[in-house]
PDB file of all heavy atoms in Angstrom:
ATOM      1  N   PHE A  11      -1.029  18.373  -9.127  1.00  0.00           N
ATOM      2  CA  PHE A  11      -1.630  17.492 -10.124  1.00  0.00           C
ATOM      3  C   PHE A  11      -3.032  17.154  -9.650  1.00  0.00           C
ATOM      4  O   PHE A  11      -3.230  16.804  -8.493  1.00  0.00           O
ATOM      5  CB  PHE A  11      -0.788  16.223 -10.292  1.00  0.00           C
ATOM      6  CG  PHE A  11      -1.094  15.448 -11.536  1.00  0.00           C
ATOM      7  CD1 PHE A  11      -0.709  15.936 -12.768  1.00  0.00           C
ATOM      8  CD2 PHE A  11      -1.768  14.248 -11.470  1.00  0.00           C
ATOM      9  CE1 PHE A  11      -0.984  15.230 -13.936  1.00  0.00           C
ATOM     10  CE2 PHE A  11      -2.045  13.527 -12.630  1.00  0.00           C
ATOM     11  CZ  PHE A  11      -1.649  14.020 -13.862  1.00  0.00           C
ATOM     12  N   ALA A  14      -5.769  11.147  -9.937  1.00  0.00           N
ATOM     13  CA  ALA A  14      -5.001   9.970  -9.527  1.00  0.00           C
ATOM     14  C   ALA A  14      -3.874   9.768 -10.534  1.00  0.00           C
ATOM     15  O   ALA A  14      -3.985  10.165 -11.696  1.00  0.00           O
ATOM     16  CB  ALA A  14      -5.902   8.744  -9.495  1.00  0.00           C
ATOM     17  N   LEU A  15      -2.785   9.165 -10.094  1.00  0.00           N
ATOM     18  CA  LEU A  15      -1.685   8.851 -11.009  1.00  0.00           C
ATOM     19  C   LEU A  15      -1.826   7.408 -11.448  1.00  0.00           C
ATOM     20  O   LEU A  15      -1.796   6.501 -10.618  1.00  0.00           O
ATOM     21  CB  LEU A  15      -0.334   9.035 -10.309  1.00  0.00           C
ATOM     22  CG  LEU A  15       0.180  10.448 -10.180  1.00  0.00           C
ATOM     23  CD1 LEU A  15       1.471  10.473  -9.381  1.00  0.00           C
ATOM     24  CD2 LEU A  15       0.397  11.080 -11.535  1.00  0.00           C
ATOM     25  N   TYR A  16      -1.992   7.223 -12.746  1.00  0.00           N
ATOM     26  CA  TYR A  16      -2.145   5.873 -13.272  1.00  0.00           C
ATOM     27  C   TYR A  16      -1.624   5.835 -14.704  1.00  0.00           C
ATOM     28  O   TYR A  16      -1.192   6.856 -15.246  1.00  0.00           O
ATOM     29  CB  TYR A  16      -3.593   5.395 -13.161  1.00  0.00           C
ATOM     30  CG  TYR A  16      -4.589   6.143 -14.021  1.00  0.00           C
ATOM     31  CD1 TYR A  16      -5.168   5.531 -15.119  1.00  0.00           C
ATOM     32  CD2 TYR A  16      -4.936   7.461 -13.734  1.00  0.00           C
ATOM     33  CE1 TYR A  16      -6.088   6.207 -15.910  1.00  0.00           C
ATOM     34  CE2 TYR A  16      -5.851   8.132 -14.518  1.00  0.00           C
ATOM     35  CZ  TYR A  16      -6.421   7.509 -15.598  1.00  0.00           C
ATOM     36  OH  TYR A  16      -7.315   8.184 -16.384  1.00  0.00           O
ATOM     37  N   TYR A  17      -1.646   4.652 -15.282  1.00  0.00           N
ATOM     38  CA  TYR A  17      -1.003   4.415 -16.579  1.00  0.00           C
ATOM     39  C   TYR A  17      -1.381   5.427 -17.657  1.00  0.00           C
ATOM     40  O   TYR A  17      -0.558   5.752 -18.511  1.00  0.00           O
ATOM     41  CB  TYR A  17      -1.299   2.992 -17.067  1.00  0.00           C
ATOM     42  CG  TYR A  17      -2.742   2.785 -17.459  1.00  0.00           C
ATOM     43  CD1 TYR A  17      -3.155   2.960 -18.769  1.00  0.00           C
ATOM     44  CD2 TYR A  17      -3.694   2.431 -16.509  1.00  0.00           C
ATOM     45  CE1 TYR A  17      -4.483   2.790 -19.134  1.00  0.00           C
ATOM     46  CE2 TYR A  17      -5.012   2.254 -16.870  1.00  0.00           C
ATOM     47  CZ  TYR A  17      -5.415   2.434 -18.175  1.00  0.00           C
ATOM     48  OH  TYR A  17      -6.719   2.273 -18.524  1.00  0.00           O
ATOM     49  N   ALA A  18      -2.604   5.951 -17.640  1.00  0.00           N
ATOM     50  CA  ALA A  18      -3.057   6.829 -18.723  1.00  0.00           C
ATOM     51  C   ALA A  18      -2.577   8.274 -18.586  1.00  0.00           C
ATOM     52  O   ALA A  18      -2.611   9.014 -19.573  1.00  0.00           O
ATOM     53  CB  ALA A  18      -4.580   6.798 -18.814  1.00  0.00           C
ATOM     54  N   ASN A  19      -2.153   8.689 -17.403  1.00  0.00           N
ATOM     55  CA  ASN A  19      -1.759  10.093 -17.261  1.00  0.00           C
ATOM     56  C   ASN A  19      -0.382  10.309 -16.629  1.00  0.00           C
ATOM     57  O   ASN A  19       0.062  11.438 -16.512  1.00  0.00           O
ATOM     58  CB  ASN A  19      -2.814  10.870 -16.466  1.00  0.00           C
ATOM     59  CG  ASN A  19      -2.897  10.461 -15.014  1.00  0.00           C
ATOM     60  OD1 ASN A  19      -2.113   9.663 -14.520  1.00  0.00           O
ATOM     61  ND2 ASN A  19      -3.888  11.006 -14.321  1.00  0.00           N
ATOM     62  N   VAL A  20       0.281   9.251 -16.222  1.00  0.00           N
ATOM     63  CA  VAL A  20       1.558   9.432 -15.534  1.00  0.00           C
ATOM     64  C   VAL A  20       2.639  10.007 -16.456  1.00  0.00           C
ATOM     65  O   VAL A  20       3.508  10.753 -15.998  1.00  0.00           O
ATOM     66  CB  VAL A  20       2.026   8.131 -14.842  1.00  0.00           C
ATOM     67  CG1 VAL A  20       2.461   7.091 -15.855  1.00  0.00           C
ATOM     68  CG2 VAL A  20       3.127   8.432 -13.842  1.00  0.00           C
ATOM     69  N   ALA A  21       2.559   9.717 -17.749  1.00  0.00           N
ATOM     70  CA  ALA A  21       3.534  10.298 -18.683  1.00  0.00           C
ATOM     71  C   ALA A  21       3.374  11.816 -18.740  1.00  0.00           C
ATOM     72  O   ALA A  21       4.374  12.551 -18.802  1.00  0.00           O
ATOM     73  CB  ALA A  21       3.381   9.683 -20.070  1.00  0.00           C
ATOM     74  N   LYS A  22       2.143  12.294 -18.702  1.00  0.00           N
ATOM     75  CA  LYS A  22       1.896  13.742 -18.694  1.00  0.00           C
ATOM     76  C   LYS A  22       2.452  14.359 -17.410  1.00  0.00           C
ATOM     77  O   LYS A  22       3.092  15.406 -17.445  1.00  0.00           O
ATOM     78  CB  LYS A  22       0.406  14.027 -18.809  1.00  0.00           C
ATOM     79  CG  LYS A  22       0.070  15.488 -18.713  1.00  0.00           C
ATOM     80  CD  LYS A  22      -1.421  15.733 -18.771  1.00  0.00           C
ATOM     81  CE  LYS A  22      -1.658  17.155 -18.407  1.00  0.00           C
ATOM     82  NZ  LYS A  22      -2.480  17.981 -19.005  1.00  0.00           N
ATOM     83  N   PHE A  23       2.215  13.715 -16.287  1.00  0.00           N
ATOM     84  CA  PHE A  23       2.750  14.171 -14.997  1.00  0.00           C
ATOM     85  C   PHE A  23       4.267  14.295 -15.073  1.00  0.00           C
ATOM     86  O   PHE A  23       4.837  15.333 -14.735  1.00  0.00           O
ATOM     87  CB  PHE A  23       2.323  13.178 -13.910  1.00  0.00           C
ATOM     88  CG  PHE A  23       2.945  13.415 -12.567  1.00  0.00           C
ATOM     89  CD1 PHE A  23       2.400  14.339 -11.686  1.00  0.00           C
ATOM     90  CD2 PHE A  23       4.055  12.695 -12.160  1.00  0.00           C
ATOM     91  CE1 PHE A  23       2.962  14.549 -10.427  1.00  0.00           C
ATOM     92  CE2 PHE A  23       4.618  12.891 -10.909  1.00  0.00           C
ATOM     93  CZ  PHE A  23       4.065  13.824 -10.043  1.00  0.00           C
ATOM     94  N   ALA A  24       4.926  13.247 -15.537  1.00  0.00           N
ATOM     95  CA  ALA A  24       6.388  13.245 -15.622  1.00  0.00           C
ATOM     96  C   ALA A  24       6.890  14.306 -16.603  1.00  0.00           C
ATOM     97  O   ALA A  24       7.878  14.994 -16.329  1.00  0.00           O
ATOM     98  CB  ALA A  24       6.896  11.864 -16.024  1.00  0.00           C
ATOM     99  N   ALA A  25       6.211  14.446 -17.725  1.00  0.00           N
ATOM    100  CA  ALA A  25       6.618  15.441 -18.724  1.00  0.00           C
ATOM    101  C   ALA A  25       6.480  16.864 -18.180  1.00  0.00           C
ATOM    102  O   ALA A  25       7.355  17.709 -18.419  1.00  0.00           O
ATOM    103  CB  ALA A  25       5.796  15.285 -19.997  1.00  0.00           C
ATOM    104  N   GLU A  26       5.414  17.125 -17.451  1.00  0.00           N
ATOM    105  CA  GLU A  26       5.226  18.461 -16.896  1.00  0.00           C
ATOM    106  C   GLU A  26       6.293  18.780 -15.845  1.00  0.00           C
ATOM    107  O   GLU A  26       6.822  19.884 -15.813  1.00  0.00           O
ATOM    108  CB  GLU A  26       3.819  18.606 -16.322  1.00  0.00           C
ATOM    109  CG  GLU A  26       2.768  18.668 -17.422  1.00  0.00           C
ATOM    110  CD  GLU A  26       1.345  18.774 -16.909  1.00  0.00           C
ATOM    111  OE1 GLU A  26       1.109  18.701 -15.679  1.00  0.00           O
ATOM    112  OE2 GLU A  26       0.443  18.919 -17.757  1.00  0.00           O
ATOM    113  N   LEU A  27       6.609  17.807 -14.999  1.00  0.00           N
ATOM    114  CA  LEU A  27       7.671  18.041 -14.016  1.00  0.00           C
ATOM    115  C   LEU A  27       9.023  18.202 -14.704  1.00  0.00           C
ATOM    116  O   LEU A  27       9.817  19.066 -14.329  1.00  0.00           O
ATOM    117  CB  LEU A  27       7.723  16.909 -12.995  1.00  0.00           C
ATOM    118  CG  LEU A  27       6.583  16.854 -11.990  1.00  0.00           C
ATOM    119  CD1 LEU A  27       6.819  15.736 -10.982  1.00  0.00           C
ATOM    120  CD2 LEU A  27       6.398  18.167 -11.265  1.00  0.00           C
ATOM    121  N   VAL A  49      -2.403   5.653  -6.784  1.00  0.00           N
ATOM    122  CA  VAL A  49      -1.204   5.524  -7.605  1.00  0.00           C
ATOM    123  C   VAL A  49      -1.117   4.064  -8.018  1.00  0.00           C
ATOM    124  O   VAL A  49      -1.025   3.190  -7.161  1.00  0.00           O
ATOM    125  CB  VAL A  49       0.065   5.928  -6.811  1.00  0.00           C
ATOM    126  CG1 VAL A  49       1.307   5.742  -7.663  1.00  0.00           C
ATOM    127  CG2 VAL A  49      -0.036   7.356  -6.316  1.00  0.00           C
ATOM    128  N   ASP A  50      -1.174   3.803  -9.326  1.00  0.00           N
ATOM    129  CA  ASP A  50      -1.067   2.405  -9.764  1.00  0.00           C
ATOM    130  C   ASP A  50       0.396   2.026  -9.981  1.00  0.00           C
ATOM    131  O   ASP A  50       1.301   2.849  -9.849  1.00  0.00           O
ATOM    132  CB  ASP A  50      -1.956   2.119 -10.979  1.00  0.00           C
ATOM    133  CG  ASP A  50      -1.416   2.636 -12.299  1.00  0.00           C
ATOM    134  OD1 ASP A  50      -0.305   3.208 -12.345  1.00  0.00           O
ATOM    135  OD2 ASP A  50      -2.114   2.461 -13.322  1.00  0.00           O
ATOM    136  N   VAL A  51       0.628   0.770 -10.318  1.00  0.00           N
ATOM    137  CA  VAL A  51       1.997   0.261 -10.437  1.00  0.00           C
ATOM    138  C   VAL A  51       2.757   0.922 -11.587  1.00  0.00           C
ATOM    139  O   VAL A  51       3.959   1.171 -11.475  1.00  0.00           O
ATOM    140  CB  VAL A  51       2.022  -1.279 -10.532  1.00  0.00           C
ATOM    141  CG1 VAL A  51       1.445  -1.764 -11.850  1.00  0.00           C
ATOM    142  CG2 VAL A  51       3.416  -1.816 -10.312  1.00  0.00           C
ATOM    143  N   THR A  52       2.071   1.264 -12.660  1.00  0.00           N
ATOM    144  CA  THR A  52       2.732   1.954 -13.774  1.00  0.00           C
ATOM    145  C   THR A  52       3.193   3.342 -13.323  1.00  0.00           C
ATOM    146  O   THR A  52       4.310   3.766 -13.631  1.00  0.00           O
ATOM    147  CB  THR A  52       1.783   2.082 -14.979  1.00  0.00           C
ATOM    148  OG1 THR A  52       1.347   0.781 -15.359  1.00  0.00           O
ATOM    149  CG2 THR A  52       2.454   2.760 -16.159  1.00  0.00           C
ATOM    150  N   ALA A  53       2.350   4.031 -12.585  1.00  0.00           N
ATOM    151  CA  ALA A  53       2.712   5.349 -12.074  1.00  0.00           C
ATOM    152  C   ALA A  53       3.863   5.237 -11.084  1.00  0.00           C
ATOM    153  O   ALA A  53       4.762   6.084 -11.064  1.00  0.00           O
ATOM    154  CB  ALA A  53       1.508   6.008 -11.430  1.00  0.00           C
ATOM    155  N   GLU A  54       3.855   4.201 -10.284  1.00  0.00           N
ATOM    156  CA  GLU A  54       4.948   3.986  -9.327  1.00  0.00           C
ATOM    157  C   GLU A  54       6.261   3.829 -10.060  1.00  0.00           C
ATOM    158  O   GLU A  54       7.271   4.408  -9.680  1.00  0.00           O
ATOM    159  CB  GLU A  54       4.656   2.748  -8.476  1.00  0.00           C
ATOM    160  CG  GLU A  54       5.802   2.302  -7.610  1.00  0.00           C
ATOM    161  CD  GLU A  54       6.765   1.345  -8.300  1.00  0.00           C
ATOM    162  OE1 GLU A  54       6.306   0.476  -9.063  1.00  0.00           O
ATOM    163  OE2 GLU A  54       7.981   1.485  -8.094  1.00  0.00           O
ATOM    164  N   GLN A  55       6.263   3.065 -11.137  1.00  0.00           N
ATOM    165  CA  GLN A  55       7.494   2.848 -11.901  1.00  0.00           C
ATOM    166  C   GLN A  55       7.987   4.148 -12.518  1.00  0.00           C
ATOM    167  O   GLN A  55       9.184   4.448 -12.487  1.00  0.00           O
ATOM    168  CB  GLN A  55       7.262   1.785 -12.976  1.00  0.00           C
ATOM    169  CG  GLN A  55       7.021   0.411 -12.397  1.00  0.00           C
ATOM    170  CD  GLN A  55       6.486  -0.587 -13.407  1.00  0.00           C
ATOM    171  OE1 GLN A  55       6.079  -0.232 -14.509  1.00  0.00           O
ATOM    172  NE2 GLN A  55       6.477  -1.848 -13.023  1.00  0.00           N
ATOM    173  N   GLU A  56       7.082   4.932 -13.072  1.00  0.00           N
ATOM    174  CA  GLU A  56       7.475   6.211 -13.666  1.00  0.00           C
ATOM    175  C   GLU A  56       7.944   7.189 -12.594  1.00  0.00           C
ATOM    176  O   GLU A  56       8.915   7.927 -12.798  1.00  0.00           O
ATOM    177  CB  GLU A  56       6.318   6.817 -14.462  1.00  0.00           C
ATOM    178  CG  GLU A  56       6.658   8.135 -15.135  1.00  0.00           C
ATOM    179  CD  GLU A  56       7.810   8.048 -16.126  1.00  0.00           C
ATOM    180  OE1 GLU A  56       7.904   7.054 -16.875  1.00  0.00           O
ATOM    181  OE2 GLU A  56       8.624   9.000 -16.159  1.00  0.00           O
ATOM    182  N   LEU A  57       7.278   7.203 -11.462  1.00  0.00           N
ATOM    183  CA  LEU A  57       7.685   8.075 -10.367  1.00  0.00           C
ATOM    184  C   LEU A  57       9.082   7.711  -9.871  1.00  0.00           C
ATOM    185  O   LEU A  57       9.919   8.584  -9.636  1.00  0.00           O
ATOM    186  CB  LEU A  57       6.668   8.001  -9.233  1.00  0.00           C
ATOM    187  CG  LEU A  57       6.852   8.969  -8.076  1.00  0.00           C
ATOM    188  CD1 LEU A  57       6.875  10.417  -8.540  1.00  0.00           C
ATOM    189  CD2 LEU A  57       5.756   8.766  -7.048  1.00  0.00           C
ATOM    190  N   THR A  58       9.355   6.429  -9.758  1.00  0.00           N
ATOM    191  CA  THR A  58      10.684   5.966  -9.349  1.00  0.00           C
ATOM    192  C   THR A  58      11.745   6.444 -10.336  1.00  0.00           C
ATOM    193  O   THR A  58      12.798   6.951  -9.946  1.00  0.00           O
ATOM    194  CB  THR A  58      10.707   4.429  -9.222  1.00  0.00           C
ATOM    195  OG1 THR A  58       9.794   4.055  -8.186  1.00  0.00           O
ATOM    196  CG2 THR A  58      12.085   3.908  -8.909  1.00  0.00           C
ATOM    197  N   LEU A  60      11.472   9.006 -12.438  1.00  0.00           N
ATOM    198  CA  LEU A  60      11.520  10.464 -12.374  1.00  0.00           C
ATOM    199  C   LEU A  60      12.356  10.938 -11.190  1.00  0.00           C
ATOM    200  O   LEU A  60      13.191  11.842 -11.336  1.00  0.00           O
ATOM    201  CB  LEU A  60      10.098  11.023 -12.281  1.00  0.00           C
ATOM    202  CG  LEU A  60       9.973  12.532 -12.154  1.00  0.00           C
ATOM    203  CD1 LEU A  60      10.495  13.227 -13.411  1.00  0.00           C
ATOM    204  CD2 LEU A  60       8.530  12.913 -11.881  1.00  0.00           C
ATOM    205  N   ARG A  63      15.982  10.524 -12.095  1.00  0.00           N
ATOM    206  CA  ARG A  63      16.456  11.521 -13.067  1.00  0.00           C
ATOM    207  C   ARG A  63      16.641  12.887 -12.409  1.00  0.00           C
ATOM    208  O   ARG A  63      17.636  13.573 -12.651  1.00  0.00           O
ATOM    209  CB  ARG A  63      15.485  11.621 -14.243  1.00  0.00           C
ATOM    210  CG  ARG A  63      15.473  10.409 -15.141  1.00  0.00           C
ATOM    211  CD  ARG A  63      14.717  10.623 -16.441  1.00  0.00           C
ATOM    212  NE  ARG A  63      13.392  11.183 -16.312  1.00  0.00           N
ATOM    213  CZ  ARG A  63      12.258  10.488 -16.183  1.00  0.00           C
ATOM    214  NH1 ARG A  63      12.298   9.165 -16.124  1.00  0.00           N
ATOM    215  NH2 ARG A  63      11.092  11.102 -16.113  1.00  0.00           N
TER     216      ARG A  63
END
Side-chain angles (χ1 to χ4, degrees):
F11 196 72
L15 281 176
Y16 66 110
Y17 69 93
N19 68 6
V20 71
K22 176 182 169 137
F23 172 84
E26 289 178 355
L27 288 184
V49 178
D50 77 2
V51 69
T52 303
E54 171 272 321
Q55 292 167 348
E56 181 60 40
L57 187 57
T58 297
L60 178 65
R63 290 191 310 269

